């Protein structure tokens, strides 16, 4: 009964390839997020969707394209992978859009991407 | 751009010692959260503080939000080996515009030795 799941857990690929990471949440939440954690453990938001609509789009190369087929799923497609894309990518979800009080975000286990 | 600076970056202590981790910013946050991340897993929320000056206790962990809502601290009393992990502070911005955007500090890697 995993709350937020991601596949695959590990992804090793060559530079220039295109790859996708999938995320699913069974918490009934309306909002989902993608974060990137670099080798120094710094966690930075990339995208956020609320009810399948994009609401946060940080300064991310347009090689990264999120897609939300329904509010329980948020996938991340990466084109023309580069060495610098190597990182751990975390999916997260929250009940809604935070107001004055930040809502709890529930994180998935992460996808470790290594670009060779 | 809102930034959060965490210190120290690394902390290595013996079981039973006390420790404090700091999270500072020049920006005001509407709320601040602390997460703990274990190797190979995603961050898990420990606490959310909302009011300036607020103090919350979670067993041996004490969290404080600064009066001006620009800084926070996490104090662990009598650390145990199970406390080992990465501790992250995260600030929530103005609720009207942030849409749940969390700004994370760089993290503190805590190692508690038996």
């Amino acid at each position: 009964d995993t709350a937020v799941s991601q596949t695959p857990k590990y992804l090793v690929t060559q530079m220039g390839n295109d790859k996708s990471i999938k995320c699913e949440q069974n918490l009934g939440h309306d909002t989902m997020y993608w974060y990137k954690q670099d080798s120094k453990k710094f966690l930075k938001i990339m995208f956020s969707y609320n009810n399948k609509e994009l609401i946060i789009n940080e300064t991310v190369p347009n090689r990264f394209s999120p897609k939300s087929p329904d509010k329980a799923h948020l996938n991340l497609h990466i084109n023309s992978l580069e060495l610098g894309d190597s990182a751990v990518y975390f999916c997260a979800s929250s009940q809604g859009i935070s107001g004055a009080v930040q809502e709890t975000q529930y994180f998935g286990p992460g996808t470790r991407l290594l670009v060779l | 751009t809102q930034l959060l600076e965490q210190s120290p970056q690394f902390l290595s202590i013996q079981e039973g010692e006390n420790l404090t981790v700091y999270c500072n910013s020049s920006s005001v946050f509407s709320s601040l959260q602390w997460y703990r991340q274990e190797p190979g897993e995603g961050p898990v929320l420990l606490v959310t503080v909302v009011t300036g000056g607020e103090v919350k206790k979670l067993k041996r962990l004490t969290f404080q939000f600064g009066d001006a809502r620009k800084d926070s601290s996490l104090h662990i009393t009598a650390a145990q080996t199970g406390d080992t992990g990465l501790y992250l502070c995260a600030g929530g911005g103005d609720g009207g515009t942030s849409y749940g955007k969390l700004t994370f500090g760089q993290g503190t890697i805590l190692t508690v030795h038996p």
Side-chain angles (χ1 to χ4, degrees), chain B residues 44-104:
Chain B
V44 175
L45 181 70
L46 294 173
V47 77
T48 301
V49 284
V50 179
T51 308
E54 182 177 2
V55 176
K56 275 192 176 176
K57 289 194 174 184
L58 193 67
K59 295 184 182 178
R60 294 176 295 102
L61 278 59
T62 302
F63 305 87
Q64 189 161 6
F65 201 11
D67 291 341
R69 291 187 290 135
K70 292 182 179 181
D71 56 87
S72 180
S73 63
L74 156 61
H75 182 79
I76 302 180
T77 304
Q80 300 175 356
T81 55
D83 295 327
T84 293
L86 173 68
Y87 289 82
L88 296 158
C89 65
D94 175 4
T97 59
S98 71
Y99 299 114
K101 178 181 170 182
L102 278 178
T103 299
F104 279 87

